[in-house]
Amino acid sequence: MSRTHNNSQASSHWLLGTRLNLTPMLLLIALAGGLILVVPASAQSTEALNIRTGSILGTAVDSNNDTIPNATVVLQKPVGDPLTAVTKDDGSFAFHDITPGIAYQVTVAAEGFAEWNSSVTVEPGQEKTLTGVTLHILAVQRAVTVTYSSKEVAAQQLKAEEQQRVLGFIPNLYVTYEPHPEPLTTKMKFHLAYKDLTHPVFFVRTAAWAGIQQARDNPDEWRQGAKGYDKRLGAGFADATTGSLISNAILPSLLHQDPRYFYQGTGTKWSRARHAMLAPFVCKGDNGATQPNYSEWGGSLIGYSISTAYYPSSSRTAGHVFENFGIDIGLHVVSSLVQEFVLDKFTSKHKHQ
């Protein structure tokens, strides 16, 4: 019995030792088996991750198919911050690791070009190349400010008037054929008077009028002969100069009135005749409004009042001044009618530039 017990105890010790010796081996086998299972699973997981993402590629060009470098490309997701890229020197751009199945909005912008927009969705593992990324040059819009200078236009119109000639040689300065003439400045009014008073025709006209006065023996105190003619010629120059300066330059500048005759040229003969006959009595102001012709009346009255200083005593009366004033108005009516119906046909006209 004692021997049997000893045998049983020995067997138990052997089995225990055997188990202890097998345990490390079993652990090694289990670890190896685990590695064998984990490595393929990890590889499959990595491969599955790569398949789930995609890429978006493209090249930005202009209308001439020339590449556009440094253009800004924005990839906007439905939710979250956008992705941004800048085109390279060859105009290319790329976005990687793009989640498939999502509609992205692509915007390409460059200075001087209109933006290009498109919607794009990638499939798992797809490299989506965008085609037709063409940016069109923006139409250059320049704001052009057109300014109208009344003085410049008036100067051009005046220059054209200075060249107006009856029969090619007689100046016809104090009439404007412009339908909407600009008002003259003070400088222009004096310039026009200077041009009129220094033209050779002015001297011829004044000399002829002195001859008429000589033939009428007016004033009779100066008698006939060269001496009498010289006095009448000097008085004529003084009358014409003071009258023209006052009527056509000084008073029009002070009263802001236009000394020119405004040719009508249209309408019935009666309306044109009425327009001409009213010219000594009404004129246009620099503001375009019709006004009493104070410049004409004042110029004539002041001029003849000044003339009393160098005319004989018989011509220094108020009656003589008003008589000459009436003659002036009558001559003005006649000259306006001639301007309206006759001189237009014989006057060379030059359009202002």
Side-chain angles (χ1 to χ4, degrees):
M1 184 175 177
S2 175
R3 183 176 182 179
T4 301
H5 175 75
N6 290 335
N7 289 337
S8 298
Q9 188 175 11
S11 298
S12 298
H13 285 295
W14 179 82
L15 289 172
L16 180 60
T18 302
R19 287 178 182 175
L20 292 173
N21 291 332
L22 290 176
T23 299
M25 185 179 293
L26 291 174
L27 290 175
L28 288 173
I29 292 171
L31 181 60
L35 289 174
I36 291 171
L37 293 175
V38 169
V39 169
S42 176
Q44 291 177 0
S45 177
T46 303
E47 184 179 355
L49 181 62
N50 290 335
I51 291 174
R52 285 198 299 269
T53 61
S55 299
I56 297 175
L57 314 174
T59 301
V61 298
D62 61 17
S63 301
N64 297 321
N65 209 33
D66 294 327
T67 58
I68 304 175
N70 300 318
T72 302
V73 186
V74 178
L75 188 66
Q76 178 65 58
K77 297 181 288 185
V79 178
D81 295 331
L83 302 176
T84 304
V86 177
T87 58
K88 300 178 181 178
D89 291 339
D90 60 356
S92 64
F93 62 90
F95 293 98
H96 300 291
D97 298 328
I98 302 302
T99 304
I102 297 178
Y104 289 88
Q105 185 72 21
V106 182
T107 301
V108 184
E111 185 177 357
F113 294 87
E115 287 187 353
W116 183 89
N117 296 278
S118 180
S119 180
V120 60
T121 302
V122 298
E123 299 296 330
Q126 180 187 17
E127 283 192 351
K128 180 75 172 183
T129 300
L130 300 178
T131 58
V133 186
T134 303
L135 278 64
H136 297 281
I137 298 175
L138 284 173
V140 179
Q141 298 181 351
R142 295 181 179 178
V144 179
T145 304
V146 180
T147 57
Y148 181 86
S149 173
S150 175
K151 291 183 179 180
E152 290 181 3
V153 175
Q156 293 173 1
Q157 292 175 347
L158 180 62
K159 186 176 180 180
E161 290 172 22
E162 290 176 13
Q163 301 176 53
Q164 292 172 174
R165 297 290 183 271
V166 177
L167 300 176
F169 70 97
I170 303 174
N172 194 15
L173 308 181
Y174 280 102
V175 58
T176 175
Y177 294 98
E178 291 285 343
H180 304 289
E182 293 295 332
L184 301 175
T185 64
T186 296
K187 182 178 179 180
M188 293 175 187
K189 292 170 185 177
F190 276 90
H191 175 77
L192 202 58
Y194 169 78
K195 283 287 185 179
D196 182 54
L197 293 174
T198 55
H199 196 277
V201 172
F202 167 73
F203 297 96
V204 174
R205 185 174 65 239
T206 305
W209 180 250
I212 294 173
Q213 294 294 78
Q214 178 87 347
R216 293 176 57 200
D217 199 23
N218 183 33
D220 55 4
E221 288 91 339
W222 288 342
R223 305 183 182 278
Q224 296 295 315
K227 189 175 182 179
Y229 178 78
D230 288 342
K231 290 180 180 180
R232 293 180 178 93
L233 181 62
F237 277 122
D239 289 347
T241 301
T242 55
S244 180
L245 283 175
I246 296 171
S247 298
N248 298 326
I250 297 175
L251 288 182
S253 298
L254 294 174
L255 302 176
H256 302 288
Q257 295 184 328
D258 201 309
R260 297 170 295 180
Y261 175 75
F262 290 78
Y263 177 75
Q264 179 172 310
T266 58
T268 64
K269 290 183 179 180
W270 166 241
S271 69
R272 294 175 64 189
R274 181 178 57 192
H275 171 75
M277 289 186 292
L278 287 175
F281 305 99
V282 294
C283 66
K284 278 193 176 182
D286 291 342
N287 59 1
T290 300
Q291 303 174 357
N293 200 346
Y294 297 122
S295 298
E296 171 69 18
W297 308 340
S300 181
L301 288 172
I302 295 172
Y304 285 119
S305 296
I306 293 174
S307 70
T308 58
Y310 49 83
Y311 271 91
S313 56
S314 61
S315 301
R316 296 177 184 175
T317 63
H320 184 75
V321 170
F322 282 101
E323 178 185 352
N324 287 332
F325 170 75
I327 293 173
D328 258 4
I329 296 298
L331 290 174
H332 195 159
V333 170
V334 173
S335 66
S336 297
L337 288 169
V338 173
Q339 286 283 10
E340 185 67 33
F341 292 101
V342 180
L343 295 186
D344 169 59
K345 301 178 180 63
F346 302 99
T347 299
S348 57
K349 306 176 187 67
H350 300 264
K351 292 292 183 181
H352 72 274
Q353 299 298 320

